[in-house]
Amino acid sequence: MSEAGNMQYSLRRFFAPPVFPEDEEKTRAAGFINAIVLTNIPILVLFIIVRVATGEGDLFGAANIILAGIITILLVVWFLMRAGWVKVAGYLHVTTIWLASTMIALMGGGINSTTFTSYFVVMLMAGLLLGWRPAVGFTFLSILAAFRLANQET
């Protein structure tokens, strides 16, 4: 195999989701986490670059620091998943999105905010990555947050 072919094979293996022969569900969840993380990190990095290039945000402004924090958490999620801690990685990822959505809705437009609809994404991701019981738990948390947001507006 040529050096370029060997490098391509190594990169492909590095970015491929891990396979857990003893646990098909774990392998499935790892595939979803791998795809989500490896698509979200470049998108968020590009988003920071565009924000800075267009003058919309300072490189070290609060929004970009939050985005960099999310990128860091996604990297942690990816490494946890690669180490075989797929459930922990899934919980960390879904919880981070839920907390970010809640904080943005609390600081922003409340229940009328477009961010509020991200709770549906959280519920879907919880179901895909963690199973139906955690999805019900995140649904319950989202309903409580919705009541809090609605109560805050009155």
Side-chain angles (χ1 to χ4, degrees), residues 113-124:
S113 169
T114 55
T115 306
F116 180 74
T117 59
S118 66
Y119 284 134
F120 296 109
V121 173
V122 169
M123 291 179 250
L124 175 66

Side-chain angles (χ1 to χ4, degrees), residues 115-152:
T115 306
F116 180 74
T117 59
S118 66
Y119 284 134
F120 296 109
V121 173
V122 169
M123 291 179 250
L124 175 66
M125 287 182 66
L128 282 172
L129 301 178
L130 305 171
W132 72 270
R133 286 185 179 105
V136 169
F138 277 100
T139 300
F140 181 71
L141 286 173
S142 299
I143 290 169
L144 288 177
F147 280 128
R148 171 71 172 105
L149 290 168
N151 191 31
Q152 184 180 5

